[in-house]
Amino acid sequence: MALLQISEPGQSLDPHQRRVAVGIDLGTTHSLVAAVRHGVAECLPATDGRVILPSVVRYLDPAQGGSGRQIGFDALAAQVQDPANTVSSVKRLMGRGRAQVVDVDKLPYTVVEQDGMAVIETVAGRKTPMEVSAEILATLRFRAEDSFDDELYGAVITVPAYFDDAQRQATKDAAQLAGINVLRLINEPTAAAIAYGLDNSSEGVYAIYDLGGGTFDISILRLTKGVFEVMATGGDSALGGDDYDQALAAWVLAQTGVSASLNASERAAVHAEARRVKEALSSSASETFRAAVAGTAVEQIVTPADFETCTAALTARTMTAVRKVLRDAGITKEEVQGVVMVGGSTRMPVVRRTVGEFFGQEPLTNLNPDEVVALGAAIQANALAGNSRDGDLLLLDVIPLSLGIETMGGLVERIVPRNSAIPTALAQDFTTYQDGQTALALHVVQGERDLVADCRSLARFELRGIPPMVAGAARIRVTFTVDADGLLSVSAKEQGSGVEARVDVKPAYGLSDEQIAAMLQDSFATAEQDIKARALVEARVDADRMIAATRTALAADADLLEAGEREQIDALVAALGATAAGDDAQAIEAATSALAKATEPFAALRMNRGIQQALSGKKLEEV
Ligand code: ADP
Ligand code: MG
């Protein structure tokens, strides 16, 4: 019997509490699922031992009474024989209208427009790209559940850095159709960088060169305090390993003098053979290309040198995109600290060499290039599910709830809105409420509600030593800084005198996902009530301020007023005080304006007196 393991309290979760969380690379050509097991990220294999799942779904004719569809290798194998019902590269259709899909007419299946969406016409009816992707995702979900013999808690799914909202949403919808709880979507280059542990390494700029089956993506990431910021992305959405296959096939056909036009299945067979030869050449010194075209057997020995020559233009195109993205990011290649190679096509030695020579450094290739994105996503998923010991040092890229400061009357002034990317620093100016005020109490809160009482209090601190000034004259800049670890620090600085105070709040994300969800729910449900409450509080603050200012003025210059005027002002102050005790915001506002209006002549008299005092002793002409 195996010995039971006992861990230090608090060091690791009870195995029964461990949540199965996976990373999924939903690729154009291939998809993979990975998970952290025993502290190491690894791709999960299918029962046949293969980790790669071709992103291909074949729909079968329901009239034939078939089971409906084939997914992965089975579908890929059938592509030659049934191209019209075999959907590959569906990622290119995600979140797109038909017109937005590049080279839509070159796809072997029929794409039509439906409700502004590109959908696929198959023998089993129209399929949305989300449905097709969901088949792939569900296959990976079952694979994960089988290997853990447990239900999947959630997944981190990767998307290209350039994916827009619609494409990201389509990806989430596909996951939902597949019954997967999406912990987060993360950018593919970021996932690759995480897989290499770059988030733990020195700050700097990294290039992620991703050459897959049908796409080339180059991303420049900047790492600051453990968070990757995408500085620039570029590439070519119609350049990938497939083009290398095509170039090789064309070269072989030209070499062997085959000029007959190929039918669809011959073309597919030649293409498949070209791909096999290309892949073999990544680790062998020569390979024989064999195919049957128009009744004749084609046979041609291909060397790496031949291959490099006939595909040189393609590799050069990737480097043009690399130079452009560096320009976009405003950096030189010397500033790039590391280069990560992603995508099956970066196995080609010529690609590695070309990239290495350009950057003047060996690119990172020790992880499997077609697994690296899934591995990074798995590491992130493990942390998000709370499985990792340093789960609280999560690489969070957005603020889950707004951060703000309490202002007069218990209202919240939002400074960092929710979903702001971190790290971030945002500032806002505040002022004093009373004449001669020399200190300011600052209360930092988190939440979406307008009233402090409904938000979560994070910290309180004071700014002292403000030089005495009239109310509203001081300018106090309050700056919220959230670093990559979610550490919030708030500073307050009086701009005139430079006096400053600050507080560190740790951590800014002390809430569970459920609490965040509840707080958001709450803020939506109570928005209207909040608006009313806010209006009332604001009206009261204005009223108090008006009364205080009037009293100060009366104390100093009441002698300027006639008896009747004084009585009128006193009556209005009393009326405003009484109204402000009630909860009719409009009535309070009206009483405040009445007092403001009635004191206008008084204010003018005071101003004249002030000017006269300032000018006393000077002749008018001197001024
Ligand atoms: P995607 O991200 O687009 O789904 P992948 O990263 O899985 O694509 O890359 C698929 C491409 O990698 C295919 O064109 C395939 O031929 C190519 N590839 C895989 N292995 C090798 C290899 N050993 N040598 C060259 N190319 C390879
Ligand atoms: Mg990929």
Side-chain angles (χ1 to χ4, degrees), residues 191-445:
I194 292 170
Y196 273 103
L198 297 182
D199 48 328
N200 302 316
S201 71
S202 55
E203 305 204 336
V205 174
Y206 296 90
I208 319 294
Y209 179 105
D210 180 350
L211 188 59
T215 52
F216 170 59
D217 300 318
I218 172 78
S219 314
I220 307 294
L221 305 183
R222 188 205 297 280
L223 175 69
T224 344
K225 297 188 178 168
V227 166
F228 291 102
E229 170 209 350
V230 179
M231 292 176 79
T233 66
D236 191 331
S237 57
L239 173 61
D242 296 346
D243 299 284
Y244 284 76
D245 305 346
Q246 227 126 41
L248 177 59
W251 180 83
V252 168
L253 294 182
Q255 258 347 79
T256 51
V258 176
S259 54
S261 64
L262 283 57
N263 64 33
S265 77
E266 281 172 343
R267 205 167 13 205
V270 165
H271 202 150
E273 176 64 358
R275 178 167 172 167
R276 187 194 64 78
V277 170
K278 170 195 76 175
E279 293 180 5
L281 282 174
S282 290
S283 54
S284 98
S286 92
E287 192 66 28
T288 307
F289 184 108
R290 288 191 181 88
V293 176
T296 45
V298 171
E299 218 174 287
Q300 171 73 38
I301 293 176
V302 188
T303 66
D306 295 331
F307 178 69
E308 285 176 23
T309 311
C310 71
T311 59
L314 300 172
T315 309
R317 263 169 70 193
T318 71
M319 298 317 293
T320 306
V322 170
R323 279 187 285 270
K324 179 171 185 310
V325 82
L326 287 173
R327 270 200 308 279
D328 289 349
I331 53 160
T332 63
K333 58 186 180 184
E334 288 77 22
E335 288 172 79
V336 173
Q337 203 146 63
V339 184
V340 176
M341 297 296 258
V342 183
S345 298
T346 61
R347 283 217 181 78
M348 291 186 281
V350 59
V351 168
R352 293 185 176 184
R353 202 177 59 237
T354 309
V355 172
E357 279 165 7
F358 177 80
F359 284 103
Q361 60 178 302
E362 277 298 307
L364 294 166
T365 55
N366 50 311
L367 291 177
N368 204 328
D370 36 40
E371 293 185 1
V372 56
V373 167
L375 296 175
I379 293 169
Q380 186 73 352
N382 192 53
L384 286 171
N387 290 336
S388 66
R389 222 185 294 167
D390 48 10
D392 47 356
L393 289 175
L394 268 189
L395 188 124
L396 278 178
D397 48 2
V398 294
I399 304 260
L401 287 172
S402 304
L403 298 166
I405 202 109
E406 172 171 356
T407 61
M408 283 308 298
L411 290 181
V412 178
E413 184 64 35
R414 243 163 253 158
I415 299 194
V416 184
R418 108 188 180 79
N419 280 337
S420 301
I422 59 169
T424 188
L426 288 166
Q428 189 148 320
D429 287 348
F430 292 88
T431 189
T432 45
Y433 174 71
Q434 281 174 333
D435 288 346
Q437 187 177 337
T438 60
L440 199 72
L442 293 127
H443 182 199
V444 183
V445 297

Side-chain angles (χ1 to χ4, degrees), residues 25 27 188 210:
D25 173 4
E188 288 161 11
D210 180 350

